[in-house]
Amino acid sequence: MADTIDAYSIQNWLESCPQSYLENTEYGHAAGEKEPDFFLQNEVLLEETIKATVQLVVGERCALSASSGLINAAPDEASRRFLATQTLDEARHVEVFTQRLYDLGVRKKDLEGTIQRYANPNLVKFAEVLLEKIDRKDFISGVVGQNIVLEGMAFSVFEMMYAMNESVNPKFAHTLSGTIADERRHVGFGENRIGSLIREHPEKRGEVEQMQKEMSYFMLATFADAFRNNRTVDELEAAGIERPHSQYQGVDLGVMAPEDMEQVLADTVLKEFKTRLGRIGIEYQTPTRP
Ligand SMILES: [Fe+2]
Ligand SMILES: [Fe+2]
């Protein structure tokens, strides 16, 4: 990318996203790629996959509401334009993961019912904490909540899912790698734009730290529900299928118990939060462990 291109410009977005890694994709993957039959034919694995995908749709719907809401709360033109590109990214993420639900056999008329049935209540609360800041047009809290907390979480979850799916489900892995590239851009904006605003408004620190603590609590509770009530590992074992030896954060997920995977993910995300919040001058607050 040329130095002359503003990192938050629409021009930069066009060159680095639609004209780059999204070129020739459909719904985020190569044309013709399909969910593996193996998942589609096993009732338990299919339901677990639908359930996991619903959480992605819920998270991305929250990001879509948040990024679009932030446009009108932004104090400067460059941020508004960046958030317009982010809004389209998030709308695309919602669409891609919704399409995955259809690919997994959810019927269009059952979409909202399926989302309601499987949406993790703790993830819904996580979203509510953020969207309340957006409703009040609180730009600083909104950007920290979305571009650092929500997207820092999404980034790590997607990377873990990518590791687990790379060899067994290339279609899903491809949609994740495009999404990860988008999230990396969004997180970068959060850090770069908000550091100076926090310095100008030190009075906001306490409120932002409180929000981070609350959101982190609901995130950990979501992880706990997702890993502890997941039947995938048992089902694969019962079917005599070896899990792929996926490497994530230096460990082999293919031999780990779900509780240990939960721990690795939680530790990874919280460490990221600490680093990123530190860079913008916010002191990371340790949440209670659910
Ligand atoms: Fe997203
Ligand atoms: Fe995002």
Side-chain angles (χ1 to χ4, degrees):
M1 187 206 322
D3 288 343
T4 46
I5 295 177
D6 174 355
Y8 305 143
S9 67
I10 291 170
Q11 184 59 35
N12 177 43
W13 175 79
L14 285 169
E15 289 177 22
S16 55
C17 176
Q19 295 164 7
S20 172
Y21 53 85
L22 286 185
E23 213 164 25
N24 301 319
T25 57
E26 60 182 44
Y27 296 106
H29 56 83
E33 284 184 311
K34 295 207 163 15
E35 294 292 325
D37 283 341
F38 169 68
F39 279 91
L40 299 173
Q41 287 157 5
N42 179 306
E43 219 175 289
V44 174
L45 295 178
L46 183 60
E47 191 182 13
E48 289 298 336
T49 307
I50 290 173
K51 208 200 278 181
T53 308
V54 162
Q55 313 319 320
L56 302 183
V57 174
V58 170
E60 297 295 354
R61 282 183 174 186
C62 172
L64 173 57
S65 295
S67 53
S68 55
L70 281 169
I71 295 176
N72 285 321
D76 63 285
E77 189 56 36
S79 296
R80 276 191 283 274
R81 274 183 289 128
F82 176 83
L83 286 161
T85 67
Q86 181 171 351
T87 297
L88 191 53
D89 290 335
E90 305 303 357
R92 208 176 62 243
H93 299 167
V94 171
E95 184 168 279
V96 159
F97 295 130
T98 301
Q99 182 59 43
R100 186 181 193 219
L101 288 175
Y102 298 146
D103 295 346
L104 293 167
V106 173
R107 282 186 289 183
K108 288 201 170 151
K109 68 174 181 50
D110 298 329
L111 177 68
E112 296 306 321
T114 303
I115 291 172
Q116 272 188 11
R117 178 156 76 248
Y118 292 121
N120 187 312
N122 285 304
L123 183 58
V124 172
K125 288 198 193 113
F126 171 94
E128 281 167 2
V129 175
L130 170 60
L131 293 176
E132 192 253 332
K133 306 288 183 194
I134 309 284
D135 280 347
R136 290 198 285 106
K137 292 207 183 315
D138 178 346
F139 186 72
I140 294 180
S141 302
V143 171
V144 175
Q146 157 159 294
N147 295 61
I148 296 187
V149 180
L150 184 148
E151 311 204 284
M153 168 183 81
F155 190 82
S156 299
V157 168
F158 293 154
E159 284 200 318
M160 186 186 230
M161 285 182 150
Y162 180 84
M164 294 196 282
N165 284 280
E166 195 183 1
S167 64
V168 288
N169 190 344
K171 175 213 177 220
F172 183 45
H174 289 152
T175 63
L176 287 170
S177 64
T179 314
I180 289 168
D182 295 332
E183 301 305 353
R184 188 171 290 134
R185 197 166 50 245
H186 304 162
V187 172
F189 167 78
E191 271 188 34
N192 290 324
R193 184 63 192 98
I194 221 69
S196 57
L197 281 175
I198 296 272
R199 276 191 296 280
E200 286 163 34
H201 298 277
E203 76 282 359
K204 291 290 291 176
R205 279 211 185 106
E207 189 190 339
V208 170
E209 286 166 359
Q210 181 58 33
M211 172 193 69
Q212 170 259 308
K213 192 176 175 184
E214 268 180 68
M215 289 181 77
S216 301
Y217 171 81
F218 289 126
M219 174 189 78
L220 293 177
T222 304
F223 291 169
D225 294 338
F227 284 95
R228 294 174 206 177
N229 302 320
N230 196 307
R231 295 169 296 157
T232 305
V233 169
D234 287 346
E235 184 63 23
L236 287 170
E237 217 155 83
I241 295 153
E242 197 187 347
R243 287 188 277 156
H245 290 281
S246 323
Q247 298 298 315
Y248 176 75
Q249 297 292 319
V251 297
D252 178 355
L253 297 174
V255 296
M256 286 182 109
E259 310 84 76
D260 297 331
M261 292 191 224
E262 176 196 338
Q263 197 63 47
V264 171
L265 180 61
D267 290 348
T268 305
V269 181
L270 295 180
K271 205 172 93 201
E272 284 269 313
F273 284 177
K274 208 177 259 181
T275 311
R276 292 188 195 282
L277 291 166
R279 282 193 211 132
I280 60 164
I282 293 287
E283 201 175 317
Y284 166 79
Q285 305 293 310
T286 311
T288 349
R289 284 273 175 167

mmCIF file with all atom_site columns, all heavy atoms in Angstrom, residues 152-165:
data_model
loop_
_atom_site.group_PDB
_atom_site.id
_atom_site.type_symbol
_atom_site.label_atom_id
_atom_site.label_alt_id
_atom_site.label_comp_id
_atom_site.label_asym_id
_atom_site.label_entity_id
_atom_site.label_seq_id
_atom_site.pdbx_PDB_ins_code
_atom_site.Cartn_x
_atom_site.Cartn_y
_atom_site.Cartn_z
_atom_site.occupancy
_atom_site.B_iso_or_equiv
_atom_site.pdbx_formal_charge
_atom_site.auth_seq_id
_atom_site.auth_comp_id
_atom_site.auth_asym_id
_atom_site.auth_atom_id
_atom_site.pdbx_PDB_model_num
ATOM 1   N N   . GLY A 1 152 ? -11.430 -7.843  19.668 1.00 0.00 ? 152 GLY A N   1
ATOM 2   C CA  . GLY A 1 152 ? -10.299 -8.604  20.215 1.00 0.00 ? 152 GLY A CA  1
ATOM 3   C C   . GLY A 1 152 ? -10.761 -10.023 20.521 1.00 0.00 ? 152 GLY A C   1
ATOM 4   O O   . GLY A 1 152 ? -10.074 -11.007 20.232 1.00 0.00 ? 152 GLY A O   1
ATOM 5   N N   . MET A 1 153 ? -11.977 -10.132 21.085 1.00 0.00 ? 153 MET A N   1
ATOM 6   C CA  . MET A 1 153 ? -12.539 -11.451 21.364 1.00 0.00 ? 153 MET A CA  1
ATOM 7   C C   . MET A 1 153 ? -12.777 -12.209 20.060 1.00 0.00 ? 153 MET A C   1
ATOM 8   O O   . MET A 1 153 ? -12.359 -13.361 19.904 1.00 0.00 ? 153 MET A O   1
ATOM 9   C CB  . MET A 1 153 ? -13.861 -11.317 22.129 1.00 0.00 ? 153 MET A CB  1
ATOM 10  C CG  . MET A 1 153 ? -14.639 -12.617 22.202 1.00 0.00 ? 153 MET A CG  1
ATOM 11  S SD  . MET A 1 153 ? -16.247 -12.477 23.009 1.00 0.00 ? 153 MET A SD  1
ATOM 12  C CE  . MET A 1 153 ? -17.249 -11.831 21.682 1.00 0.00 ? 153 MET A CE  1
ATOM 13  N N   . ALA A 1 154 ? -13.450 -11.553 19.111 1.00 0.00 ? 154 ALA A N   1
ATOM 14  C CA  . ALA A 1 154 ? -13.802 -12.211 17.850 1.00 0.00 ? 154 ALA A CA  1
ATOM 15  C C   . ALA A 1 154 ? -12.543 -12.715 17.144 1.00 0.00 ? 154 ALA A C   1
ATOM 16  O O   . ALA A 1 154 ? -12.483 -13.857 16.678 1.00 0.00 ? 154 ALA A O   1
ATOM 17  C CB  . ALA A 1 154 ? -14.553 -11.229 16.943 1.00 0.00 ? 154 ALA A CB  1
ATOM 18  N N   . PHE A 1 155 ? -11.542 -11.871 17.119 1.00 0.00 ? 155 PHE A N   1
ATOM 19  C CA  . PHE A 1 155 ? -10.279 -12.190 16.478 1.00 0.00 ? 155 PHE A CA  1
ATOM 20  C C   . PHE A 1 155 ? -9.697  -13.507 17.012 1.00 0.00 ? 155 PHE A C   1
ATOM 21  O O   . PHE A 1 155 ? -9.349  -14.417 16.250 1.00 0.00 ? 155 PHE A O   1
ATOM 22  C CB  . PHE A 1 155 ? -9.343  -11.022 16.794 1.00 0.00 ? 155 PHE A CB  1
ATOM 23  C CG  . PHE A 1 155 ? -8.075  -11.021 16.044 1.00 0.00 ? 155 PHE A CG  1
ATOM 24  C CD1 . PHE A 1 155 ? -8.048  -10.524 14.756 1.00 0.00 ? 155 PHE A CD1 1
ATOM 25  C CD2 . PHE A 1 155 ? -6.913  -11.498 16.618 1.00 0.00 ? 155 PHE A CD2 1
ATOM 26  C CE1 . PHE A 1 155 ? -6.857  -10.506 14.046 1.00 0.00 ? 155 PHE A CE1 1
ATOM 27  C CE2 . PHE A 1 155 ? -5.725  -11.488 15.910 1.00 0.00 ? 155 PHE A CE2 1
ATOM 28  C CZ  . PHE A 1 155 ? -5.697  -10.991 14.624 1.00 0.00 ? 155 PHE A CZ  1
ATOM 29  N N   . SER A 1 156 ? -9.632  -13.631 18.334 1.00 0.00 ? 156 SER A N   1
ATOM 30  C CA  . SER A 1 156 ? -9.050  -14.839 18.934 1.00 0.00 ? 156 SER A CA  1
ATOM 31  C C   . SER A 1 156 ? -9.944  -16.055 18.732 1.00 0.00 ? 156 SER A C   1
ATOM 32  O O   . SER A 1 156 ? -9.460  -17.162 18.481 1.00 0.00 ? 156 SER A O   1
ATOM 33  C CB  . SER A 1 156 ? -8.804  -14.633 20.432 1.00 0.00 ? 156 SER A CB  1
ATOM 34  O OG  . SER A 1 156 ? -7.903  -13.569 20.619 1.00 0.00 ? 156 SER A OG  1
ATOM 35  N N   . VAL A 1 157 ? -11.264 -15.858 18.836 1.00 0.00 ? 157 VAL A N   1
ATOM 36  C CA  . VAL A 1 157 ? -12.192 -16.977 18.621 1.00 0.00 ? 157 VAL A CA  1
ATOM 37  C C   . VAL A 1 157 ? -12.063 -17.471 17.176 1.00 0.00 ? 157 VAL A C   1
ATOM 38  O O   . VAL A 1 157 ? -11.981 -18.673 16.921 1.00 0.00 ? 157 VAL A O   1
ATOM 39  C CB  . VAL A 1 157 ? -13.651 -16.550 18.917 1.00 0.00 ? 157 VAL A CB  1
ATOM 40  C CG1 . VAL A 1 157 ? -14.652 -17.590 18.433 1.00 0.00 ? 157 VAL A CG1 1
ATOM 41  C CG2 . VAL A 1 157 ? -13.839 -16.296 20.412 1.00 0.00 ? 157 VAL A CG2 1
ATOM 42  N N   . PHE A 1 158 ? -12.023 -16.533 16.228 1.00 0.00 ? 158 PHE A N   1
ATOM 43  C CA  . PHE A 1 158 ? -11.913 -16.920 14.813 1.00 0.00 ? 158 PHE A CA  1
ATOM 44  C C   . PHE A 1 158 ? -10.597 -17.651 14.558 1.00 0.00 ? 158 PHE A C   1
ATOM 45  O O   . PHE A 1 158 ? -10.554 -18.612 13.796 1.00 0.00 ? 158 PHE A O   1
ATOM 46  C CB  . PHE A 1 158 ? -11.992 -15.695 13.891 1.00 0.00 ? 158 PHE A CB  1
ATOM 47  C CG  . PHE A 1 158 ? -13.332 -15.012 13.877 1.00 0.00 ? 158 PHE A CG  1
ATOM 48  C CD1 . PHE A 1 158 ? -13.443 -13.664 13.567 1.00 0.00 ? 158 PHE A CD1 1
ATOM 49  C CD2 . PHE A 1 158 ? -14.495 -15.711 14.157 1.00 0.00 ? 158 PHE A CD2 1
ATOM 50  C CE1 . PHE A 1 158 ? -14.676 -13.020 13.536 1.00 0.00 ? 158 PHE A CE1 1
ATOM 51  C CE2 . PHE A 1 158 ? -15.738 -15.083 14.129 1.00 0.00 ? 158 PHE A CE2 1
ATOM 52  C CZ  . PHE A 1 158 ? -15.820 -13.735 13.819 1.00 0.00 ? 158 PHE A CZ  1
ATOM 53  N N   . GLU A 1 159 ? -9.529  -17.172 15.192 1.00 0.00 ? 159 GLU A N   1
ATOM 54  C CA  . GLU A 1 159 ? -8.239  -17.837 14.965 1.00 0.00 ? 159 GLU A CA  1
ATOM 55  C C   . GLU A 1 159 ? -8.258  -19.267 15.508 1.00 0.00 ? 159 GLU A C   1
ATOM 56  O O   . GLU A 1 159 ? -7.711  -20.171 14.888 1.00 0.00 ? 159 GLU A O   1
ATOM 57  C CB  . GLU A 1 159 ? -7.094  -17.030 15.591 1.00 0.00 ? 159 GLU A CB  1
ATOM 58  C CG  . GLU A 1 159 ? -6.787  -15.821 14.730 1.00 0.00 ? 159 GLU A CG  1
ATOM 59  C CD  . GLU A 1 159 ? -5.412  -15.236 14.967 1.00 0.00 ? 159 GLU A CD  1
ATOM 60  O OE1 . GLU A 1 159 ? -4.995  -15.144 16.141 1.00 0.00 ? 159 GLU A OE1 1
ATOM 61  O OE2 . GLU A 1 159 ? -4.778  -14.858 13.982 1.00 0.00 ? 159 GLU A OE2 1
ATOM 62  N N   . MET A 1 160 ? -8.903  -19.442 16.655 1.00 0.00 ? 160 MET A N   1
ATOM 63  C CA  . MET A 1 160 ? -8.986  -20.798 17.211 1.00 0.00 ? 160 MET A CA  1
ATOM 64  C C   . MET A 1 160 ? -9.852  -21.674 16.301 1.00 0.00 ? 160 MET A C   1
ATOM 65  O O   . MET A 1 160 ? -9.510  -22.817 15.988 1.00 0.00 ? 160 MET A O   1
ATOM 66  C CB  . MET A 1 160 ? -9.562  -20.766 18.623 1.00 0.00 ? 160 MET A CB  1
ATOM 67  C CG  . MET A 1 160 ? -9.531  -22.113 19.304 1.00 0.00 ? 160 MET A CG  1
ATOM 68  S SD  . MET A 1 160 ? -10.372 -22.084 20.895 1.00 0.00 ? 160 MET A SD  1
ATOM 69  C CE  . MET A 1 160 ? -9.138  -22.834 21.940 1.00 0.00 ? 160 MET A CE  1
ATOM 70  N N   . MET A 1 161 ? -10.980 -21.130 15.851 1.00 0.00 ? 161 MET A N   1
ATOM 71  C CA  . MET A 1 161 ? -11.858 -21.897 14.951 1.00 0.00 ? 161 MET A CA  1
ATOM 72  C C   . MET A 1 161 ? -11.140 -22.212 13.639 1.00 0.00 ? 161 MET A C   1
ATOM 73  O O   . MET A 1 161 ? -11.315 -23.283 13.070 1.00 0.00 ? 161 MET A O   1
ATOM 74  C CB  . MET A 1 161 ? -13.132 -21.107 14.641 1.00 0.00 ? 161 MET A CB  1
ATOM 75  C CG  . MET A 1 161 ? -14.111 -21.072 15.789 1.00 0.00 ? 161 MET A CG  1
ATOM 76  S SD  . MET A 1 161 ? -15.591 -20.174 15.264 1.00 0.00 ? 161 MET A SD  1
ATOM 77  C CE  . MET A 1 161 ? -16.820 -20.991 16.269 1.00 0.00 ? 161 MET A CE  1
ATOM 78  N N   . TYR A 1 162 ? -10.358 -21.255 13.186 1.00 0.00 ? 162 TYR A N   1
ATOM 79  C CA  . TYR A 1 162 ? -9.602  -21.475 11.943 1.00 0.00 ? 162 TYR A CA  1
ATOM 80  C C   . TYR A 1 162 ? -8.665  -22.670 12.125 1.00 0.00 ? 162 TYR A C   1
ATOM 81  O O   . TYR A 1 162 ? -8.620  -23.570 11.276 1.00 0.00 ? 162 TYR A O   1
ATOM 82  C CB  . TYR A 1 162 ? -8.805  -20.215 11.562 1.00 0.00 ? 162 TYR A CB  1
ATOM 83  C CG  . TYR A 1 162 ? -8.026  -20.401 10.287 1.00 0.00 ? 162 TYR A CG  1
ATOM 84  C CD1 . TYR A 1 162 ? -8.624  -20.205 9.046  1.00 0.00 ? 162 TYR A CD1 1
ATOM 85  C CD2 . TYR A 1 162 ? -6.688  -20.810 10.322 1.00 0.00 ? 162 TYR A CD2 1
ATOM 86  C CE1 . TYR A 1 162 ? -7.923  -20.407 7.861  1.00 0.00 ? 162 TYR A CE1 1
ATOM 87  C CE2 . TYR A 1 162 ? -5.979  -21.011 9.149  1.00 0.00 ? 162 TYR A CE2 1
ATOM 88  C CZ  . TYR A 1 162 ? -6.604  -20.816 7.918  1.00 0.00 ? 162 TYR A CZ  1
ATOM 89  O OH  . TYR A 1 162 ? -5.913  -21.025 6.762  1.00 0.00 ? 162 TYR A OH  1
ATOM 90  N N   . ALA A 1 163 ? -7.942  -22.674 13.240 1.00 0.00 ? 163 ALA A N   1
ATOM 91  C CA  . ALA A 1 163 ? -7.004  -23.780 13.505 1.00 0.00 ? 163 ALA A CA  1
ATOM 92  C C   . ALA A 1 163 ? -7.754  -25.119 13.523 1.00 0.00 ? 163 ALA A C   1
ATOM 93  O O   . ALA A 1 163 ? -7.288  -26.109 12.958 1.00 0.00 ? 163 ALA A O   1
ATOM 94  C CB  . ALA A 1 163 ? -6.289  -23.551 14.839 1.00 0.00 ? 163 ALA A CB  1
ATOM 95  N N   . MET A 1 164 ? -8.931  -25.128 14.119 1.00 0.00 ? 164 MET A N   1
ATOM 96  C CA  . MET A 1 164 ? -9.671  -26.391 14.244 1.00 0.00 ? 164 MET A CA  1
ATOM 97  C C   . MET A 1 164 ? -10.282 -26.847 12.917 1.00 0.00 ? 164 MET A C   1
ATOM 98  O O   . MET A 1 164 ? -10.574 -28.023 12.741 1.00 0.00 ? 164 MET A O   1
ATOM 99  C CB  . MET A 1 164 ? -10.781 -26.252 15.308 1.00 0.00 ? 164 MET A CB  1
ATOM 100 C CG  . MET A 1 164 ? -10.218 -26.047 16.701 1.00 0.00 ? 164 MET A CG  1
ATOM 101 S SD  . MET A 1 164 ? -11.408 -26.322 18.024 1.00 0.00 ? 164 MET A SD  1
ATOM 102 C CE  . MET A 1 164 ? -12.360 -24.852 18.000 1.00 0.00 ? 164 MET A CE  1
ATOM 103 N N   . ASN A 1 165 ? -10.510 -25.901 12.003 1.00 0.00 ? 165 ASN A N   1
ATOM 104 C CA  . ASN A 1 165 ? -11.219 -26.248 10.763 1.00 0.00 ? 165 ASN A CA  1
ATOM 105 C C   . ASN A 1 165 ? -10.355 -26.321 9.511  1.00 0.00 ? 165 ASN A C   1
ATOM 106 O O   . ASN A 1 165 ? -10.802 -26.830 8.490  1.00 0.00 ? 165 ASN A O   1
ATOM 107 C CB  . ASN A 1 165 ? -12.354 -25.246 10.515 1.00 0.00 ? 165 ASN A CB  1
ATOM 108 C CG  . ASN A 1 165 ? -13.532 -25.514 11.416 1.00 0.00 ? 165 ASN A CG  1
ATOM 109 O OD1 . ASN A 1 165 ? -14.337 -26.408 11.133 1.00 0.00 ? 165 ASN A OD1 1
ATOM 110 N ND2 . ASN A 1 165 ? -13.614 -24.813 12.525 1.00 0.00 ? 165 ASN A ND2 1
#
